[in-house]
Every structure is written in structure tokens, then in C-alpha cells.
């Protein structure tokens, strides 16, 4: 996954120190968003070491318009690093459960209030969304990858309903994020990282009011349409 010895060294050292700092820091200063601050630094180091340049368009909503539910497409591991740098530090990722098992890294994201989701178990997945709802009630935004997992061929896949039901239940805006180029940097099924450019576009918030109380399909379709408009031809869904 990493490009050369230099990338491996940066990954190991940065993960150790940032992860350990997050665990200790969250214990001493809970609820201070320290994990996310360190995660942004950790992400910048990885992108720099791997020769990945990120171009940003648009911005997250201002503080007075938060919390919200960010929904992004998912092409590779690079997505997390590229997006995290620009997200509000009060944001919490909803991430696959297996990431929380990784020593130090997993401890850090758990200490930072990130939310594990087990998509293999429907009841546990619903419970994870309930935890995300509680985070929204506390004023934290949450981010989910709308396809549920990485695309296996680089093309956009159907969206899961969970992120949109979450936004409708909490009555908070949905902010689509389009990620383009990450699948070329780390191709599906490959461990090789190629230096390149990734484009991240923060799209305007979608007001959920017209979709209340439960029109998640309409809300999902609107978010998906906005993301599709920002993808490269070889990233488009086959039904586009």
C-alpha cells in the first residue's frame, strides 16, 4: 500500500506518535477534538511522503451551520487522508469495525469518539447509526462513505440508505463530497501507491426538509447526482 521504504517509515512513525498522543491526550483532555487535529497532521504526512497532491474545491459549511452529515464516495484508502484535512475537527468518522482492531491506530480513533460499524450484522449496523445520531445531538458532524465500502472497479456504486436515514432522523443537512482520482493513485485490488493528484469537492449542503419524514431515496438521489457531476468519465456508474 505504501510507496517504498520512505513511505513505510513515515507511516509507522507517524501512526505510532499520533496514535499514542491521541490516546493519552483524550484521556487527559476529553472532548477537545485532539484526535482529529492529530489525524489531520497524520494525513498530511502520509500524502506528502507518498507524493500525493490534493486539490480542493468548495468548503465545508461554517461552524454556525453545523452539525451535518457528510457523505462521500469511496475509491481508496487515500480518501480518508484527503478528506480529513479539510473537515471540521468536531467531525467523527463512521468507519468499518476492523479498523478499530489495529493496535494504536484503532485505540486512537476509539478514544477520539469515532464510530465503528459492522456491515456484516444488520442489528449492529443499526446500533452504530444510533451512536452516530447521538454524536449529532452532541453537536458533532459525522462522515460516512455512502457506498459502504471501496469501489472494486473505480466506478461509483449504489448508495446505502443509512447516511440519509441518519440525516432525516436528526434533521440536519447532508453535505456531499466528491472524490476523484484516488482510485488511480491506489488502484482497486492493488497495494501500489502511485504519486498523483486527487480532487476533493465539497458540494453545497442539501436541506433535508423537503424529504422529511422518510424519503431517503430522494435525498440519496440528490446527493448522488451532485457527486456524479464531479467525477471523471471512468469513475462514473455504469447506469449514468
Amino acid at each position: 500500500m505504501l510507496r517504498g521504504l520512505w513511505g513505510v517509515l513515515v507511516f509507522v512513525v507517524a501512526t505510532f506518535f499520533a496514535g499514542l498522543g491521541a490516546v493519552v491526550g483524550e484521556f487527559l483532555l476529553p472532548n477537545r477534538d485532539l484526535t482529529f487535529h492529530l489525524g489531520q497532521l497524520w494525513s498530511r504526512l502520509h500524502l506528502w511522503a507518498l507524493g500525493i497532491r490534493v486539490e480542493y474545491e468548495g468548503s465545508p459549511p461554517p461552524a454556525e451551520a453545523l452539525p451535518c452529515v457528510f457523505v462521500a464516495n469511496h475509491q481508496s484508502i487515500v480518501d480518508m487522508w484527503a478528506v480529513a484535512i479539510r473537515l471540521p475537527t468536531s467531525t467523527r468518522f463512521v468507519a468499518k469495525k476492523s479498523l478499530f482492531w489495529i493496535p494504536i491506530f484503532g485505540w486512537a480513533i476509539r478514544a477520539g469518539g469515532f464510530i465503528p460499524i459492522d456491515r456484516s450484522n444488520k442489528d449492529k449496523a443499526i446500533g452504530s447509526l444510533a451512536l452516530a445520531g447521538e454524536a449529532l445531538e452532541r453537536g458533532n458532524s459525522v462522515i460516512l462513505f455512502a457506498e459502504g465500502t471501496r469501489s472494486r472497479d473505480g466506478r461509483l456504486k449504489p448508495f446505502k440508505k443509512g447516511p440519509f436515514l441518519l440525516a432525516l432522523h436528526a434533521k440536519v443537512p447532508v453535505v456531499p463530497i466528491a472524490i476523484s482520482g484516488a482510485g488511480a493513485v491506489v488502484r482497486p485490488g492493488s497495494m501500489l501507491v502511485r504519486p498523483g493528484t486527487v480532487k476533493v469537492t465539497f458540494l453545497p449542503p442539501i436541506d433535508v426538509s423537503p424529504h422529511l419524514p422518510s424519503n431517503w431515496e430522494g435525498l440519496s438521489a440528490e446527493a448522488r447526482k451532485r457527486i456524479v457531476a464531479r467525477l471523471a468519465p471512468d469513475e462514473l456508474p455504469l447506469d449514468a
Side-chain angles (χ1 to χ4, degrees):
M1 186 179 296
L2 301 174
R3 184 174 60 95
L5 182 59
W6 175 242
V8 173
L9 180 63
V10 170
F11 180 83
V12 172
V13 173
T15 300
F16 178 80
F17 284 104
L20 193 60
V23 172
V24 174
E26 291 289 353
F27 176 76
L28 298 175
L29 298 170
N31 304 317
R32 297 292 182 89
D33 301 332
L34 177 63
T35 296
F36 212 98
H37 281 290
L38 289 172
Q40 289 177 325
L41 174 61
W42 179 79
S43 297
R44 289 181 187 276
L45 286 170
H46 291 336
L47 294 169
W48 167 72
L50 296 171
I52 300 169
R53 180 171 176 266
V54 185
E55 296 179 351
Y56 294 96
E57 183 176 340
S59 301
E64 59 269 20
L66 299 175
C68 67
V69 173
F70 293 100
V71 293
N73 59 305
H74 199 7
Q75 297 181 343
S76 77
I77 189 174
V78 175
D79 302 333
M80 179 177 67
W81 303 334
V83 170
I85 291 171
R86 288 297 177 93
L87 288 173
T89 56
S90 59
T91 306
R92 301 294 178 260
F93 273 86
V94 177
K96 61 182 181 180
K97 183 180 178 181
S98 59
L99 292 178
F100 291 76
W101 298 341
I102 301 173
I104 301 179
F105 174 80
W107 306 341
I109 59 177
R110 189 177 297 277
F114 289 25
I115 302 158
I117 187 167
D118 183 355
R119 295 196 178 277
S120 65
N121 185 305
K122 183 177 180 180
D123 291 336
K124 290 183 178 179
I126 292 172
S128 297
L129 292 177
L131 292 175
E134 293 173 7
L136 289 167
E137 290 176 3
R138 293 193 298 270
N140 296 111
S141 295
V142 297
I143 177 169
L144 303 95
F145 291 111
E147 296 153 282
T149 188
R150 283 177 283 178
S151 171
R152 297 305 176 191
D153 60 3
R155 294 186 178 275
L156 190 70
K157 298 304 180 188
F159 285 178
K160 303 293 185 180
K161 65 181 179 181
F164 307 99
L165 289 174
L166 176 64
L168 289 168
H169 179 75
K171 298 181 181 178
V172 298
V174 168
V175 178
I177 304 173
I179 302 170
S180 179
V185 171
V186 182
R187 297 189 184 281
S190 173
M191 300 292 285
L192 177 66
V193 176
R194 298 171 174 82
T197 300
V198 175
K199 185 170 184 179
V200 175
T201 305
F202 286 89
L203 296 158
I206 301 173
D207 181 8
V208 300
S209 299
H211 302 282
L212 291 172
S214 58
N215 180 24
W216 74 267
E217 294 97 334
L219 184 57
S220 173
E222 188 170 349
R224 183 178 173 85
K225 179 180 177 181
R226 295 188 186 190
I227 289 174
V228 164
R230 298 291 181 153
L231 299 180
D234 60 349
E235 298 169 339
L236 296 174
L238 294 175
D239 59 354

